[in-house]
């Protein structure tokens, strides 16, 4: 068996002097609490505090990074325990799933999944041998045993991980019962929601019309008019804020925004609600709603997040057989400069608004996002997202945004994950990469070391809380 | 107070052996004269040699990099002393402006503005403490006192900076009185102009028709026909050459070129001049004029520069309140391969033509500009421009263009600035980054050290003079 | 005269500890045989085993990298011995060509051509002084003398280079006589062909209709129907497989694919064959043929390669005067996500298919190719191609693809060259750059050293043979 060892200098630059600086910077921030302002953990975990399931159903089946890599090398999702929508057979023996995964673990060399998983294995579960076919059962047994203990229940891990606050993401139709239960439980952990209204702002959403009916009912508003529909948003936003939300989140195909006249918006809404919007009109309606959300944010103080540019479920066979979020999403080329103009013309210079922009198209970092966020008071650049939430991705992000936007037009790190156990690992990677980048600036005499300490702390903690108003 | 110290090894790679090589390379070029073949300094400075104004109006109010960053963090341009077009109030106390800037100086960490400004403070003004709120007045007083002395007048600084030649940029309608005055003054400083005809080649320019009338009058040509209009260009170009110009410069929305028949060009000109060109026709006319300018360059030897791909004044509120060039310009995605083809088909293989291409879209470096400049004798790649005139921007430029275009299809460095005091700082950054890049090639045994010395000198001096025919 | 010395640590990272790791990794793979699964060497060389011509006609005249750089700096192709199509004069004295090249050798500083050529000079010909004007004749004489010896005949070099297998590329109309002759000769060298059917799948190909007639005749199929035309492909593919082919190759303007109904495909074929296809229909037909080729590959096991996105012969004057492949090709922006969907919807999840994607648009590495290959079992990412087959190009490739696609969704290295003597140089560069990248991962504790050894071997040898089924 090969030892598994998380080296204390991991991810720091190799040059010894630069590494020393990175080490010093990291020492100053490594123990700061985790602030997780955007992600997809399940509030039910913290409400019910039930034990997590077996190793495979905790760490493999729900991890779309793991699924996509294994599928790309010919392992069918059925063999990895992903439930089929039509009830056709899939692997239900978690140990068999785990063994398959262990055998393929070399595929993850050089990927962030490998870093995150090794951290979970070593730091969270205390395992000190490398995962491979020969250690699959040892791993399975050790993890399964740990999960059965009180110390590995969601709330215990939350506390052990040093999470100061975590945001989940719920749709506009969610009743937030789990958040209410967490609040009522007397547990001190801070779990807040975020308002993600795509199901009622995107005419292409499944069941859009029915969603709006239900939305109106939940809000107690007559949504037959656009004005009533907007009031319903205001009402739901207020309800989400009462459950701790400080932010909204919008997952759109592109960054299109619009700022129509009241009459045009009303007509467009009625058409969309009737299910008669063309593709162009659907895009226009989504764009109009971003501007409406910006207006509401100026009123109620909620921070907006825009996550555009994904071709969801690119593989129709995976969608049909297993559903969404199974590793078949592919980035699209992005474009912000013209797309955001209607919203920016209306509200981009308003310092009360914070709109955080994410991208999967790295070419927009230096060409669009840094110049835009380096000018408009309302704009901030979100951290490297999804495929780019990785050491090289973070390096490129810092190299390509900092010179034009500086550090303070960013918002620090997001883990953006549903993989709860990996949260400390992800923050560890981000903190180390930021310290490495800053160490290089110090080693090249581009900033002073005292400043780098301040920036490292800002990127890890201060800026996150400030940007997300947490 | 924190010391301010420009480290002699700043911007060099951290690895000690590579740094040694960079240091040696830099020692060979650091004292070469500054050749500044493209920029926007004001010839009136050198003609009149009046003292510069106060610190704020010298270093902050006219610096669009500084304005954009401060605005992005919510500091209104009024508070920074930017004059309003409608006469509404703006800060007029330069010390108050300076204090605001000093307080926000940490925003510039990691940006080139920080590098340039620290150089100006330390090297030009001899200040040895860091700028922060507590040292704002010390800075203000020291800089103000220096500016009142003979040694800080424009011509003294020009000489102190070791400028061998500097090019300014003037519109086709400029009478070049300041250049004439400089020539007549007997002062030895070489300040040349460059011909920027956008106001009479871009149908979308403000007052286009009136501009052409005035253009014809200045040139003494009947501009009612396209032929007459072209003769007016020839005449103005000759006049600019008599004031030292060796280059033209073209700031277009894109890189579109055209090569119409004489009849089509004539018809298009008449329509544009009459103010009836559609958006497509305006673009076509700009494109036609690039090809006409290329033809004239082949005749008269003026080097062409193309600076395409900026969405000027993206923020309409800033434009309306403060005018152009206030930090609200945003890059656009670029494309050269098809766009340049008409011009290249006509003149791209003519070694008498030099057309220097700039871009704000870094994706075009390796995909388009290096392959094009690595084939067409007429093409050269300009240095990293504007948002990319920075350490990481320069590193990416070298990494992404050198392998396909080599060093000698570039043109060395441009400072492209109106911030006169920062010119030595900008050349210092470029020289250091080039030496660092070359040092890495030497350390990795990709070129020999004697060659790196030659290339460093070429990039700093020889290639600039040769490419711009200075 | 300056010494020429290939440093044993060339291309390794400068940091001493990282370099040590790279050196160790390289020691483990440097002597592995060369597997060259895709390229353009001439099978006639190995069939006839005649001596190569003079130095200029071996190393300069056919090298489009060399031609483009020299032309970009004003050296006419005529002066470099490139034959004119119209018989107008061109340099025929190889020594004169060689001297011109030697004089311009500094242009290649920082380019991969320089690395490849220096390797050829030092390792293949044993020259130990640098090429420059003063050593031009020494070089010419040494190389000419060597080429006259038995040791420098194609088969001797093949063996000396340690080539285990090399693939050439032939059109669908090729009769593969040289491959047959090699097979019949009893020589042990393994030279296989690859099936490149562009001349009969691209309606924009020169003589498309006549090509199809000849194609049908060669295959003995009635190609008046689409079904017959497809059978002709099956027949030719079988013939190519009998000459060792394990792969097909497709050079298309873009990555468009299509999956039409049988009736629509039939109609489109008939229109294309009649020479009446519009530009859109020609693109659709090429796209349909990629999907047809994928279907055949699933049947017969041939690996597909797609090389899209080149504007061939961008300079019409070079095309008219000298023909194709003379250094006037320019990359185009690429896009795969929508373009490949028809093929992927049909066959992307079939693990029997291997489709290797190449690109000249590096922005697609992290945005499109790595996500696609990191999901679809049928997709693999080809190595950095053409303009990007260079140290920095390889570094960017690894940095931008590995984190999403891992190492094992790549296919190792391709030399893709017709410059036979440079093949060891190119593999040397690739092996060194891979070892350097892996060394950095090890130095930053992102993978363990034992794993890096395994990956280095995979990238050099195992993965190439597996991906190309060699």
């Amino acid at each position: 068996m090969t030892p598994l060892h998380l080296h204390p200098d991991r991810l720091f630059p190799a040059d010894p002097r630069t590494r020393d600086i990175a080490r010093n910077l990291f020492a100053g921030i490594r123990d700061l609490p985790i602030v997780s302002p955007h992600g997809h953990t399940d509030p039910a975990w913290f409400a019910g505090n039930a034990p997590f399931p077996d190793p495979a159903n905790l760490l493999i089946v729900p991890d779309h990074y793991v699924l996509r890599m294994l599928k790309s090398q010919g392992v069918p999702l059925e063999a990895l325990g992903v439930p089929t929508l039509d009830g056709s057979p899939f692997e239900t023996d978690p140990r068999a799933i785990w063994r398959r995964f262990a055998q393929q673990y070399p595929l993850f060399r050089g990927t962030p999944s490998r870093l995150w998983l090794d951290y979970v294995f070593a730091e969270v579960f205390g395992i000190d041998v490398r995962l491979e076919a020969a250690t699959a059962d040892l791993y399975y047994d050790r993890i399964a045993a740990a999960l059965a203990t009180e110390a590995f229940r969601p709330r215990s891990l939350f506390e052990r991980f040093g999470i100061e606050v975590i945001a989940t993401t719920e749709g506009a139709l969610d009743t937030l019962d789990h958040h209410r239960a967490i609040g009522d439980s007397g547990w001190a952990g801070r779990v807040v929601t975020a308002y993600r209204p795509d199901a009622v702002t995107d005419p292409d959403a499944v069941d859009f019309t029915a969603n709006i009916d239900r939305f109106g009912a939940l809000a107690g508003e007559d949504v037959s008019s656009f004005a009533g529909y907007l009031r319903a948003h205001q009402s739901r936003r207020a309800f989400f804020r009462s459950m701790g939300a400080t932010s909204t989140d919008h997952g759109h195909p592109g960054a299109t925004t619009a700022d129509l006249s009241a009459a045009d918006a009303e007509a467009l809404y009625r058409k969309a609600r009737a299910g008669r919007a063309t593709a162009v009109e659907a895009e226009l309606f989504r764009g109009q709603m971003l501007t409406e959300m910006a207006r509401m944010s100026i009123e109620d103080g909620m921070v907006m997040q825009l996550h555009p540019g994904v071709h969801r479920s690119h593989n129709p066979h995976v969608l049909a057989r297993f559903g969404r979020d199974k590793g078949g999403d592919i980035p699209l080329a992005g474009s912000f400069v013209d797309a955001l103009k209607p919203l920016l013309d209306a509200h981009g210079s308003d310092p009360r608004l914070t709109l955080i922009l994410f991208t999967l198209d790295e070419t927009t970092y230096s060409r669009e996002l840094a110049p835009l966020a380096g000018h408009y008071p309302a704009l901030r650049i979100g951290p490297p997202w999804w495929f780019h939430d990785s050491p090289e991705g973070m390096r490129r992000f810092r190299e390509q945004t900092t010179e034009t936007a500086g550090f303070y037009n960013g918002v620090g790190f997001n883990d953006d994950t549903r993989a709860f156990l990996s949260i400390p690992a992800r923050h560890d990677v981000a903190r180390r990469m930021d310290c490495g980048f800053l160490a290089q600036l110090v080693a090249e005499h581009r900033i002073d070391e005292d400043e780098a300490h301040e920036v490292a702390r800002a990127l890890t903690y201060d800026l996150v809380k400030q940007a997300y108003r947490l």
Side-chain angles (χ1 to χ4, degrees), chain A residues 66-79:
Chain A
V66 168
L67 297 181
R68 62 183 299 129
M69 177 63 87
L70 295 174
K71 177 173 172 63
S72 79
Q73 289 279 322
V75 183
L77 297 186
E78 291 88 342

Side-chain angles (χ1 to χ4, degrees), chain A residues 241-287:
Chain A
R241 285 200 305 287
S242 77
M243 293 296 160
T246 68
S247 65
T248 69
D249 184 27
H250 308 275
H252 286 198
T256 303
T257 64
D259 191 19
L260 304 175
S261 70
D264 286 351
E266 181 74 45
L268 181 61
Y269 170 69
R270 285 171 192 267
K271 200 162 177 191
R273 203 195 160 204
R276 292 185 293 105
T278 63
V280 168
E281 288 166 340
E283 179 70 358
L284 192 63
F285 186 74
R286 288 186 293 263

Side-chain angles (χ1 to χ4, degrees), chain A residues 79 153 190 192 251 261 264 284 322 408 413 417 437 463:
Chain A
R153 295 215 176 191
R190 186 171 170 208
V192 303
S261 70
D264 286 351
L284 192 63
F322 303 101
Y408 299 97
F413 180 63
T417 190
F437 178 73
L463 199 52

